[in-house]
Amino acid sequence: MGILERKLRQKEEVRDRILTASWQMVKEEGWQSLSIRKIADAIEYSVPVIYDHFENKEAILFEISLDGFRLLQGKLAAVVKKYQDPRKRLQELALAYWNFAFRHKEYYQLMYGLGMPCCGAGKMKPEVNAFRDFIGNDIGEIIRENKSDMNEACFKTYALWSVLHGLISIMIMRTSDIDNSSLNKKVMEDTVATFIRNL
Amino acid sequence: MGILERKLRQKEEVRDRILTASWQMVKEEGWQSLSIRKIADAIEYSVPVIYDHFENKEAILFEISLDGFRLLQGKLAAVVKKYQDPRKRLQELALAYWNFAFRHKEYYQLMYGLGMPCCGAGKMKPEVNAFRDFIGNDIGEIIRENKSDMNEACFKTYALWSVLHGLISIMIMRTSDIDNSSLNKKVMEDTVATFIRNL
DNA sequence: TTATTTTTGCTAACGGTGTTAGGTAAAATA
DNA sequence: TATTTTACCTAACACCGTTAGCAAAAATAA
């Protein structure tokens, strides 16, 4: 009696098509122009079918943002595997985070609510904090090596994350207000290097 | 012949009422629930009247965001007047920026596009960059005193701004995802202190 | 003072949005 | 074959930003 299985499979497939169609449209036209009706059009179903798979539009965005978090997590995991020295690794983690933000601007905007409603804040998924947790490990290790104050590890972690997120946010949201040459990857690399030296 | 003047004054008054009504509603119900129709209701005029004063909704938001930038600028100017030592002053500027962000969350969100479209990016108003310019002066002075590399002044400025903006953004957008006690004013003050020491 | 023009502000619409109620036809079950 | 369940659609609701077009009021000209 594989009928039920086939039905479930087909239902899952429609769900997937909703997500991939949405993501496709976002990459082509940006978040602002994504609408339930356009999604329905793209998957060749009527509008209410979408609500059989997602509670509302925000739930779709949340699901896509999780894709973003998982993609980032994968990139970071690869860096962690590749480098052993915690200082070098921290540099490379920061670089990977930076590159992710600009290569997948749409994901980044959705994940952190840049210029759009931030969906799913507070749903406590572990992948949401992957970057913080990865750099937290290395920062802790370096602090231990340096015999610095271990109590500072936690908020040093937020400090590094913040400076990266801040640079990225300002670049994405206010590119046109600032001199572009003065705010680039070199600023980031230098700031991170100084940060590591001072742990 | 004061008729023309009176008319101009009345027109100006309606414009003001649009802005204050909008701001009132935003403070009470948040940006998401602000609509042209509700504004029209509040000022007791029909909808098209609003378009006699503003090109579109974004222009209203832009005007309000300028109010925010000017309010911030005032706070910063007071700090600059009060403190002379550039190190102390830098600390106090950072604190004032931080306090502004949390005391006027709605302004800050609008000014930097946190969780909403960022209106008026690239309109090149000087008050938009008040904070950057204020801290830039002190950073330059400290670097000169320290006989450090003056070429770094510019991007040190962005580094400090970024870490503040990053901390604030993460706190505003993802409060519920992170341990609240680990990301607070103390993190900010400590990070700024370390930053100043390393100029 | 009357006729004409300008200004002012309105109603009503256009084309969109997210969301849902209610019904029909197909499929599965009895 | 009759009944129930499922799948899916049409059409609507209540909004949204924006604008065309018109009526009344005010200012100006004759």
Side-chain angles (χ1 to χ4, degrees), chain A residues 55-89:
Chain A
E55 203 190 328
N56 49 33
K57 189 179 177 180
E58 201 191 318
I60 299 175
L61 296 182
F62 176 57
E63 209 60 41
I64 296 178
S65 88
L66 283 186
D67 289 344
F69 279 115
R70 283 189 281 258
L71 178 60
L72 172 61
Q73 190 173 33
K75 305 266 187 203
L76 298 175
V79 169
V80 169
K81 218 174 172 182
K82 192 169 174 189
Y83 300 93
Q84 268 71 45
D85 175 54
R87 286 175 184 77
K88 176 67 177 166
R89 197 154 68 182

PDB file of all heavy atoms in Angstrom, chain A residues 55-89:
ATOM      1  N   GLU A  55       2.055  28.080   7.311  1.00  0.00           N
ATOM      2  CA  GLU A  55       1.036  28.799   8.064  1.00  0.00           C
ATOM      3  C   GLU A  55       0.787  30.174   7.458  1.00  0.00           C
ATOM      4  O   GLU A  55      -0.345  30.643   7.386  1.00  0.00           O
ATOM      5  CB  GLU A  55       1.463  28.926   9.522  1.00  0.00           C
ATOM      6  CG  GLU A  55       0.294  29.132  10.471  1.00  0.00           C
ATOM      7  CD  GLU A  55       0.771  29.489  11.872  1.00  0.00           C
ATOM      8  OE1 GLU A  55       1.865  29.022  12.278  1.00  0.00           O
ATOM      9  OE2 GLU A  55       0.064  30.264  12.542  1.00  0.00           O
ATOM     10  N   ASN A  56       1.883  30.819   7.040  1.00  0.00           N
ATOM     11  CA  ASN A  56       1.746  32.141   6.425  1.00  0.00           C
ATOM     12  C   ASN A  56       3.034  32.473   5.686  1.00  0.00           C
ATOM     13  O   ASN A  56       3.947  31.660   5.607  1.00  0.00           O
ATOM     14  CB  ASN A  56       1.425  33.200   7.478  1.00  0.00           C
ATOM     15  CG  ASN A  56       2.383  33.106   8.651  1.00  0.00           C
ATOM     16  OD1 ASN A  56       3.547  32.761   8.475  1.00  0.00           O
ATOM     17  ND2 ASN A  56       1.896  33.389   9.831  1.00  0.00           N
ATOM     18  N   LYS A  57       3.089  33.656   5.150  1.00  0.00           N
ATOM     19  CA  LYS A  57       4.255  34.052   4.371  1.00  0.00           C
ATOM     20  C   LYS A  57       5.532  34.050   5.224  1.00  0.00           C
ATOM     21  O   LYS A  57       6.596  33.648   4.768  1.00  0.00           O
ATOM     22  CB  LYS A  57       4.023  35.451   3.792  1.00  0.00           C
ATOM     23  CG  LYS A  57       5.078  35.874   2.802  1.00  0.00           C
ATOM     24  CD  LYS A  57       4.799  37.258   2.240  1.00  0.00           C
ATOM     25  CE  LYS A  57       5.905  37.699   1.301  1.00  0.00           C
ATOM     26  NZ  LYS A  57       5.651  39.036   0.743  1.00  0.00           N
ATOM     27  N   GLU A  58       5.396  34.493   6.430  1.00  0.00           N
ATOM     28  CA  GLU A  58       6.558  34.559   7.311  1.00  0.00           C
ATOM     29  C   GLU A  58       7.184  33.182   7.502  1.00  0.00           C
ATOM     30  O   GLU A  58       8.409  33.053   7.586  1.00  0.00           O
ATOM     31  CB  GLU A  58       6.145  35.152   8.662  1.00  0.00           C
ATOM     32  CG  GLU A  58       7.318  35.718   9.447  1.00  0.00           C
ATOM     33  CD  GLU A  58       6.953  36.051  10.897  1.00  0.00           C
ATOM     34  OE1 GLU A  58       5.861  36.607  11.110  1.00  0.00           O
ATOM     35  OE2 GLU A  58       7.757  35.747  11.781  1.00  0.00           O
ATOM     36  N   ALA A  59       6.335  32.161   7.572  1.00  0.00           N
ATOM     37  CA  ALA A  59       6.854  30.809   7.756  1.00  0.00           C
ATOM     38  C   ALA A  59       7.709  30.383   6.564  1.00  0.00           C
ATOM     39  O   ALA A  59       8.696  29.662   6.727  1.00  0.00           O
ATOM     40  CB  ALA A  59       5.704  29.829   7.964  1.00  0.00           C
ATOM     41  N   ILE A  60       7.318  30.814   5.377  1.00  0.00           N
ATOM     42  CA  ILE A  60       8.132  30.519   4.191  1.00  0.00           C
ATOM     43  C   ILE A  60       9.483  31.213   4.307  1.00  0.00           C
ATOM     44  O   ILE A  60      10.534  30.602   4.102  1.00  0.00           O
ATOM     45  CB  ILE A  60       7.404  30.991   2.914  1.00  0.00           C
ATOM     46  CG1 ILE A  60       6.069  30.266   2.755  1.00  0.00           C
ATOM     47  CG2 ILE A  60       8.283  30.762   1.685  1.00  0.00           C
ATOM     48  CD1 ILE A  60       5.237  30.765   1.593  1.00  0.00           C
ATOM     49  N   LEU A  61       9.447  32.491   4.655  1.00  0.00           N
ATOM     50  CA  LEU A  61      10.701  33.248   4.801  1.00  0.00           C
ATOM     51  C   LEU A  61      11.582  32.627   5.878  1.00  0.00           C
ATOM     52  O   LEU A  61      12.803  32.527   5.707  1.00  0.00           O
ATOM     53  CB  LEU A  61      10.389  34.708   5.160  1.00  0.00           C
ATOM     54  CG  LEU A  61       9.633  35.506   4.101  1.00  0.00           C
ATOM     55  CD1 LEU A  61       9.430  36.936   4.562  1.00  0.00           C
ATOM     56  CD2 LEU A  61      10.366  35.486   2.766  1.00  0.00           C
ATOM     57  N   PHE A  62      10.968  32.202   6.966  1.00  0.00           N
ATOM     58  CA  PHE A  62      11.741  31.586   8.043  1.00  0.00           C
ATOM     59  C   PHE A  62      12.449  30.337   7.552  1.00  0.00           C
ATOM     60  O   PHE A  62      13.640  30.140   7.811  1.00  0.00           O
ATOM     61  CB  PHE A  62      10.813  31.246   9.214  1.00  0.00           C
ATOM     62  CG  PHE A  62      11.504  30.531  10.331  1.00  0.00           C
ATOM     63  CD1 PHE A  62      12.601  31.093  10.966  1.00  0.00           C
ATOM     64  CD2 PHE A  62      11.065  29.287  10.748  1.00  0.00           C
ATOM     65  CE1 PHE A  62      13.242  30.430  12.008  1.00  0.00           C
ATOM     66  CE2 PHE A  62      11.700  28.623  11.783  1.00  0.00           C
ATOM     67  CZ  PHE A  62      12.786  29.192  12.402  1.00  0.00           C
ATOM     68  N   GLU A  63      11.719  29.528   6.798  1.00  0.00           N
ATOM     69  CA  GLU A  63      12.307  28.289   6.266  1.00  0.00           C
ATOM     70  C   GLU A  63      13.502  28.618   5.366  1.00  0.00           C
ATOM     71  O   GLU A  63      14.547  27.970   5.433  1.00  0.00           O
ATOM     72  CB  GLU A  63      11.243  27.522   5.480  1.00  0.00           C
ATOM     73  CG  GLU A  63      11.435  26.018   5.463  1.00  0.00           C
ATOM     74  CD  GLU A  63      11.425  25.382   6.848  1.00  0.00           C
ATOM     75  OE1 GLU A  63      10.601  25.787   7.674  1.00  0.00           O
ATOM     76  OE2 GLU A  63      12.273  24.506   7.094  1.00  0.00           O
ATOM     77  N   ILE A  64      13.349  29.624   4.526  1.00  0.00           N
ATOM     78  CA  ILE A  64      14.448  30.007   3.638  1.00  0.00           C
ATOM     79  C   ILE A  64      15.622  30.549   4.435  1.00  0.00           C
ATOM     80  O   ILE A  64      16.782  30.277   4.118  1.00  0.00           O
ATOM     81  CB  ILE A  64      13.957  31.048   2.606  1.00  0.00           C
ATOM     82  CG1 ILE A  64      12.887  30.426   1.702  1.00  0.00           C
ATOM     83  CG2 ILE A  64      15.119  31.544   1.747  1.00  0.00           C
ATOM     84  CD1 ILE A  64      12.305  31.388   0.693  1.00  0.00           C
ATOM     85  N   SER A  65      15.323  31.297   5.485  1.00  0.00           N
ATOM     86  CA  SER A  65      16.422  31.833   6.300  1.00  0.00           C
ATOM     87  C   SER A  65      17.205  30.687   6.947  1.00  0.00           C
ATOM     88  O   SER A  65      18.424  30.767   7.084  1.00  0.00           O
ATOM     89  CB  SER A  65      15.888  32.796   7.363  1.00  0.00           C
ATOM     90  OG  SER A  65      15.537  32.128   8.554  1.00  0.00           O
ATOM     91  N   LEU A  66      16.494  29.619   7.296  1.00  0.00           N
ATOM     92  CA  LEU A  66      17.203  28.464   7.852  1.00  0.00           C
ATOM     93  C   LEU A  66      18.136  27.848   6.811  1.00  0.00           C
ATOM     94  O   LEU A  66      19.242  27.425   7.138  1.00  0.00           O
ATOM     95  CB  LEU A  66      16.202  27.416   8.347  1.00  0.00           C
ATOM     96  CG  LEU A  66      15.518  27.716   9.682  1.00  0.00           C
ATOM     97  CD1 LEU A  66      14.671  26.545  10.124  1.00  0.00           C
ATOM     98  CD2 LEU A  66      16.539  28.063  10.760  1.00  0.00           C
ATOM     99  N   ASP A  67      17.678  27.808   5.551  1.00  0.00           N
ATOM    100  CA  ASP A  67      18.579  27.369   4.475  1.00  0.00           C
ATOM    101  C   ASP A  67      19.847  28.201   4.483  1.00  0.00           C
ATOM    102  O   ASP A  67      20.951  27.688   4.324  1.00  0.00           O
ATOM    103  CB  ASP A  67      17.889  27.503   3.108  1.00  0.00           C
ATOM    104  CG  ASP A  67      16.786  26.461   2.916  1.00  0.00           C
ATOM    105  OD1 ASP A  67      16.760  25.475   3.682  1.00  0.00           O
ATOM    106  OD2 ASP A  67      15.965  26.635   2.004  1.00  0.00           O
ATOM    107  N   GLY A  68      19.666  29.510   4.649  1.00  0.00           N
ATOM    108  CA  GLY A  68      20.812  30.415   4.697  1.00  0.00           C
ATOM    109  C   GLY A  68      21.735  30.093   5.858  1.00  0.00           C
ATOM    110  O   GLY A  68      22.950  29.959   5.679  1.00  0.00           O
ATOM    111  N   PHE A  69      21.148  29.913   7.025  1.00  0.00           N
ATOM    112  CA  PHE A  69      21.964  29.601   8.206  1.00  0.00           C
ATOM    113  C   PHE A  69      22.717  28.289   8.021  1.00  0.00           C
ATOM    114  O   PHE A  69      23.882  28.166   8.399  1.00  0.00           O
ATOM    115  CB  PHE A  69      21.086  29.540   9.462  1.00  0.00           C
ATOM    116  CG  PHE A  69      20.772  30.891  10.044  1.00  0.00           C
ATOM    117  CD1 PHE A  69      19.475  31.375  10.073  1.00  0.00           C
ATOM    118  CD2 PHE A  69      21.788  31.692  10.576  1.00  0.00           C
ATOM    119  CE1 PHE A  69      19.182  32.625  10.621  1.00  0.00           C
ATOM    120  CE2 PHE A  69      21.504  32.944  11.125  1.00  0.00           C
ATOM    121  CZ  PHE A  69      20.200  33.407  11.138  1.00  0.00           C
ATOM    122  N   ARG A  70      22.060  27.319   7.379  1.00  0.00           N
ATOM    123  CA  ARG A  70      22.710  26.032   7.194  1.00  0.00           C
ATOM    124  C   ARG A  70      23.828  26.121   6.157  1.00  0.00           C
ATOM    125  O   ARG A  70      24.876  25.493   6.308  1.00  0.00           O
ATOM    126  CB  ARG A  70      21.673  24.974   6.805  1.00  0.00           C
ATOM    127  CG  ARG A  70      20.853  24.505   8.012  1.00  0.00           C
ATOM    128  CD  ARG A  70      19.995  23.307   7.666  1.00  0.00           C
ATOM    129  NE  ARG A  70      18.794  23.722   6.932  1.00  0.00           N
ATOM    130  CZ  ARG A  70      17.568  23.827   7.462  1.00  0.00           C
ATOM    131  NH1 ARG A  70      17.386  23.532   8.748  1.00  0.00           N
ATOM    132  NH2 ARG A  70      16.548  24.199   6.741  1.00  0.00           N
ATOM    133  N   LEU A  71      23.590  26.918   5.125  1.00  0.00           N
ATOM    134  CA  LEU A  71      24.644  27.110   4.121  1.00  0.00           C
ATOM    135  C   LEU A  71      25.872  27.741   4.772  1.00  0.00           C
ATOM    136  O   LEU A  71      27.011  27.293   4.577  1.00  0.00           O
ATOM    137  CB  LEU A  71      24.119  28.002   2.986  1.00  0.00           C
ATOM    138  CG  LEU A  71      25.103  28.343   1.870  1.00  0.00           C
ATOM    139  CD1 LEU A  71      25.597  27.077   1.170  1.00  0.00           C
ATOM    140  CD2 LEU A  71      24.466  29.291   0.847  1.00  0.00           C
ATOM    141  N   LEU A  72      25.627  28.770   5.566  1.00  0.00           N
ATOM    142  CA  LEU A  72      26.737  29.424   6.277  1.00  0.00           C
ATOM    143  C   LEU A  72      27.431  28.440   7.206  1.00  0.00           C
ATOM    144  O   LEU A  72      28.668  28.350   7.228  1.00  0.00           O
ATOM    145  CB  LEU A  72      26.199  30.615   7.074  1.00  0.00           C
ATOM    146  CG  LEU A  72      27.182  31.293   8.035  1.00  0.00           C
ATOM    147  CD1 LEU A  72      28.382  31.848   7.289  1.00  0.00           C
ATOM    148  CD2 LEU A  72      26.486  32.397   8.833  1.00  0.00           C
ATOM    149  N   GLN A  73      26.627  27.672   7.924  1.00  0.00           N
ATOM    150  CA  GLN A  73      27.194  26.696   8.848  1.00  0.00           C
ATOM    151  C   GLN A  73      28.131  25.719   8.127  1.00  0.00           C
ATOM    152  O   GLN A  73      29.210  25.396   8.613  1.00  0.00           O
ATOM    153  CB  GLN A  73      26.063  25.918   9.529  1.00  0.00           C
ATOM    154  CG  GLN A  73      26.519  25.039  10.691  1.00  0.00           C
ATOM    155  CD  GLN A  73      25.328  24.442  11.418  1.00  0.00           C
ATOM    156  OE1 GLN A  73      24.294  24.142  10.812  1.00  0.00           O
ATOM    157  NE2 GLN A  73      25.464  24.266  12.717  1.00  0.00           N
ATOM    158  N   GLY A  74      27.711  25.294   6.931  1.00  0.00           N
ATOM    159  CA  GLY A  74      28.550  24.393   6.140  1.00  0.00           C
ATOM    160  C   GLY A  74      29.892  25.017   5.793  1.00  0.00           C
ATOM    161  O   GLY A  74      30.942  24.402   5.948  1.00  0.00           O
ATOM    162  N   LYS A  75      29.841  26.256   5.325  1.00  0.00           N
ATOM    163  CA  LYS A  75      31.078  26.968   4.966  1.00  0.00           C
ATOM    164  C   LYS A  75      32.000  27.068   6.183  1.00  0.00           C
ATOM    165  O   LYS A  75      33.214  26.872   6.097  1.00  0.00           O
ATOM    166  CB  LYS A  75      30.753  28.384   4.481  1.00  0.00           C
ATOM    167  CG  LYS A  75      29.763  28.446   3.332  1.00  0.00           C
ATOM    168  CD  LYS A  75      30.464  28.506   2.003  1.00  0.00           C
ATOM    169  CE  LYS A  75      29.439  28.735   0.883  1.00  0.00           C
ATOM    170  NZ  LYS A  75      29.951  28.278  -0.424  1.00  0.00           N
ATOM    171  N   LEU A  76      31.412  27.413   7.330  1.00  0.00           N
ATOM    172  CA  LEU A  76      32.212  27.585   8.541  1.00  0.00           C
ATOM    173  C   LEU A  76      32.810  26.255   8.991  1.00  0.00           C
ATOM    174  O   LEU A  76      33.985  26.186   9.375  1.00  0.00           O
ATOM    175  CB  LEU A  76      31.346  28.177   9.660  1.00  0.00           C
ATOM    176  CG  LEU A  76      30.751  29.561   9.394  1.00  0.00           C
ATOM    177  CD1 LEU A  76      29.823  29.979  10.529  1.00  0.00           C
ATOM    178  CD2 LEU A  76      31.833  30.604   9.169  1.00  0.00           C
ATOM    179  N   ALA A  77      31.997  25.200   8.885  1.00  0.00           N
ATOM    180  CA  ALA A  77      32.480  23.880   9.289  1.00  0.00           C
ATOM    181  C   ALA A  77      33.676  23.470   8.442  1.00  0.00           C
ATOM    182  O   ALA A  77      34.647  22.878   8.942  1.00  0.00           O
ATOM    183  CB  ALA A  77      31.355  22.847   9.173  1.00  0.00           C
ATOM    184  N   ALA A  78      33.623  23.792   7.158  1.00  0.00           N
ATOM    185  CA  ALA A  78      34.743  23.471   6.263  1.00  0.00           C
ATOM    186  C   ALA A  78      36.004  24.203   6.696  1.00  0.00           C
ATOM    187  O   ALA A  78      37.113  23.637   6.676  1.00  0.00           O
ATOM    188  CB  ALA A  78      34.379  23.832   4.832  1.00  0.00           C
ATOM    189  N   VAL A  79      35.850  25.447   7.097  1.00  0.00           N
ATOM    190  CA  VAL A  79      37.009  26.234   7.564  1.00  0.00           C
ATOM    191  C   VAL A  79      37.594  25.615   8.835  1.00  0.00           C
ATOM    192  O   VAL A  79      38.815  25.454   8.961  1.00  0.00           O
ATOM    193  CB  VAL A  79      36.594  27.696   7.823  1.00  0.00           C
ATOM    194  CG1 VAL A  79      37.695  28.450   8.566  1.00  0.00           C
ATOM    195  CG2 VAL A  79      36.266  28.395   6.517  1.00  0.00           C
ATOM    196  N   VAL A  80      36.715  25.257   9.738  1.00  0.00           N
ATOM    197  CA  VAL A  80      37.169  24.671  11.008  1.00  0.00           C
ATOM    198  C   VAL A  80      37.961  23.394  10.756  1.00  0.00           C
ATOM    199  O   VAL A  80      38.966  23.123  11.413  1.00  0.00           O
ATOM    200  CB  VAL A  80      35.957  24.389  11.925  1.00  0.00           C
ATOM    201  CG1 VAL A  80      36.364  23.551  13.128  1.00  0.00           C
ATOM    202  CG2 VAL A  80      35.347  25.696  12.397  1.00  0.00           C
ATOM    203  N   LYS A  81      37.502  22.637   9.762  1.00  0.00           N
ATOM    204  CA  LYS A  81      38.176  21.375   9.445  1.00  0.00           C
ATOM    205  C   LYS A  81      39.557  21.630   8.843  1.00  0.00           C
ATOM    206  O   LYS A  81      40.510  20.897   9.068  1.00  0.00           O
ATOM    207  CB  LYS A  81      37.304  20.603   8.443  1.00  0.00           C
ATOM    208  CG  LYS A  81      37.287  19.088   8.670  1.00  0.00           C
ATOM    209  CD  LYS A  81      36.289  18.430   7.750  1.00  0.00           C
ATOM    210  CE  LYS A  81      36.397  16.905   7.825  1.00  0.00           C
ATOM    211  NZ  LYS A  81      35.467  16.264   6.898  1.00  0.00           N
ATOM    212  N   LYS A  82      39.621  22.708   8.062  1.00  0.00           N
ATOM    213  CA  LYS A  82      40.833  22.947   7.269  1.00  0.00           C
ATOM    214  C   LYS A  82      41.986  23.517   8.098  1.00  0.00           C
ATOM    215  O   LYS A  82      43.144  23.200   7.839  1.00  0.00           O
ATOM    216  CB  LYS A  82      40.478  23.914   6.130  1.00  0.00           C
ATOM    217  CG  LYS A  82      41.563  24.039   5.063  1.00  0.00           C
ATOM    218  CD  LYS A  82      41.038  24.795   3.844  1.00  0.00           C
ATOM    219  CE  LYS A  82      42.140  25.076   2.827  1.00  0.00           C
ATOM    220  NZ  LYS A  82      41.670  25.994   1.774  1.00  0.00           N
ATOM    221  N   TYR A  83      41.659  24.368   9.061  1.00  0.00           N
ATOM    222  CA  TYR A  83      42.719  25.057   9.810  1.00  0.00           C
ATOM    223  C   TYR A  83      42.750  24.584  11.262  1.00  0.00           C
ATOM    224  O   TYR A  83      41.693  24.392  11.870  1.00  0.00           O
ATOM    225  CB  TYR A  83      42.522  26.566   9.753  1.00  0.00           C
ATOM    226  CG  TYR A  83      42.555  27.124   8.347  1.00  0.00           C
ATOM    227  CD1 TYR A  83      41.383  27.288   7.613  1.00  0.00           C
ATOM    228  CD2 TYR A  83      43.768  27.473   7.744  1.00  0.00           C
ATOM    229  CE1 TYR A  83      41.411  27.785   6.318  1.00  0.00           C
ATOM    230  CE2 TYR A  83      43.812  27.977   6.457  1.00  0.00           C
ATOM    231  CZ  TYR A  83      42.621  28.136   5.756  1.00  0.00           C
ATOM    232  OH  TYR A  83      42.661  28.616   4.474  1.00  0.00           O
ATOM    233  N   GLN A  84      43.970  24.428  11.797  1.00  0.00           N
ATOM    234  CA  GLN A  84      44.065  23.975  13.192  1.00  0.00           C
ATOM    235  C   GLN A  84      44.424  25.123  14.147  1.00  0.00           C
ATOM    236  O   GLN A  84      43.887  25.199  15.241  1.00  0.00           O
ATOM    237  CB  GLN A  84      45.098  22.844  13.318  1.00  0.00           C
ATOM    238  CG  GLN A  84      44.466  21.465  13.163  1.00  0.00           C
ATOM    239  CD  GLN A  84      44.041  21.197  11.721  1.00  0.00           C
ATOM    240  OE1 GLN A  84      44.779  21.469  10.783  1.00  0.00           O
ATOM    241  NE2 GLN A  84      42.821  20.694  11.542  1.00  0.00           N
ATOM    242  N   ASP A  85      45.341  25.967  13.728  1.00  0.00           N
ATOM    243  CA  ASP A  85      45.753  27.066  14.607  1.00  0.00           C
ATOM    244  C   ASP A  85      44.573  27.996  14.891  1.00  0.00           C
ATOM    245  O   ASP A  85      43.963  28.522  13.958  1.00  0.00           O
ATOM    246  CB  ASP A  85      46.886  27.863  13.958  1.00  0.00           C
ATOM    247  CG  ASP A  85      47.261  29.077  14.790  1.00  0.00           C
ATOM    248  OD1 ASP A  85      47.558  28.898  15.983  1.00  0.00           O
ATOM    249  OD2 ASP A  85      47.206  30.211  14.254  1.00  0.00           O
ATOM    250  N   PRO A  86      44.249  28.190  16.156  1.00  0.00           N
ATOM    251  CA  PRO A  86      43.043  28.968  16.472  1.00  0.00           C
ATOM    252  C   PRO A  86      43.094  30.410  15.960  1.00  0.00           C
ATOM    253  O   PRO A  86      42.052  30.968  15.616  1.00  0.00           O
ATOM    254  CB  PRO A  86      42.971  28.928  18.001  1.00  0.00           C
ATOM    255  CG  PRO A  86      44.322  28.517  18.454  1.00  0.00           C
ATOM    256  CD  PRO A  86      44.900  27.678  17.367  1.00  0.00           C
ATOM    257  N   ARG A  87      44.280  30.995  15.914  1.00  0.00           N
ATOM    258  CA  ARG A  87      44.360  32.379  15.426  1.00  0.00           C
ATOM    259  C   ARG A  87      44.089  32.441  13.928  1.00  0.00           C
ATOM    260  O   ARG A  87      43.271  33.239  13.446  1.00  0.00           O
ATOM    261  CB  ARG A  87      45.730  32.963  15.746  1.00  0.00           C
ATOM    262  CG  ARG A  87      45.894  33.307  17.216  1.00  0.00           C
ATOM    263  CD  ARG A  87      47.292  33.763  17.559  1.00  0.00           C
ATOM    264  NE  ARG A  87      47.420  33.990  19.002  1.00  0.00           N
ATOM    265  CZ  ARG A  87      47.554  33.019  19.892  1.00  0.00           C
ATOM    266  NH1 ARG A  87      47.581  31.756  19.487  1.00  0.00           N
ATOM    267  NH2 ARG A  87      47.643  33.299  21.181  1.00  0.00           N
ATOM    268  N   LYS A  88      44.767  31.576  13.209  1.00  0.00           N
ATOM    269  CA  LYS A  88      44.531  31.504  11.766  1.00  0.00           C
ATOM    270  C   LYS A  88      43.072  31.142  11.472  1.00  0.00           C
ATOM    271  O   LYS A  88      42.426  31.708  10.588  1.00  0.00           O
ATOM    272  CB  LYS A  88      45.475  30.443  11.155  1.00  0.00           C
ATOM    273  CG  LYS A  88      45.299  30.178   9.671  1.00  0.00           C
ATOM    274  CD  LYS A  88      45.700  31.362   8.829  1.00  0.00           C
ATOM    275  CE  LYS A  88      45.582  31.030   7.328  1.00  0.00           C
ATOM    276  NZ  LYS A  88      45.636  32.265   6.509  1.00  0.00           N
ATOM    277  N   ARG A  89      42.587  30.199  12.276  1.00  0.00           N
ATOM    278  CA  ARG A  89      41.223  29.725  12.042  1.00  0.00           C
ATOM    279  C   ARG A  89      40.209  30.838  12.264  1.00  0.00           C
ATOM    280  O   ARG A  89      39.242  30.978  11.513  1.00  0.00           O
ATOM    281  CB  ARG A  89      40.934  28.550  12.972  1.00  0.00           C
ATOM    282  CG  ARG A  89      39.745  27.748  12.552  1.00  0.00           C
ATOM    283  CD  ARG A  89      39.838  26.335  13.033  1.00  0.00           C
ATOM    284  NE  ARG A  89      39.725  26.239  14.485  1.00  0.00           N
ATOM    285  CZ  ARG A  89      39.811  25.086  15.150  1.00  0.00           C
ATOM    286  NH1 ARG A  89      40.036  23.950  14.491  1.00  0.00           N
ATOM    287  NH2 ARG A  89      39.696  25.064  16.456  1.00  0.00           N
TER     288      ARG A  89
END
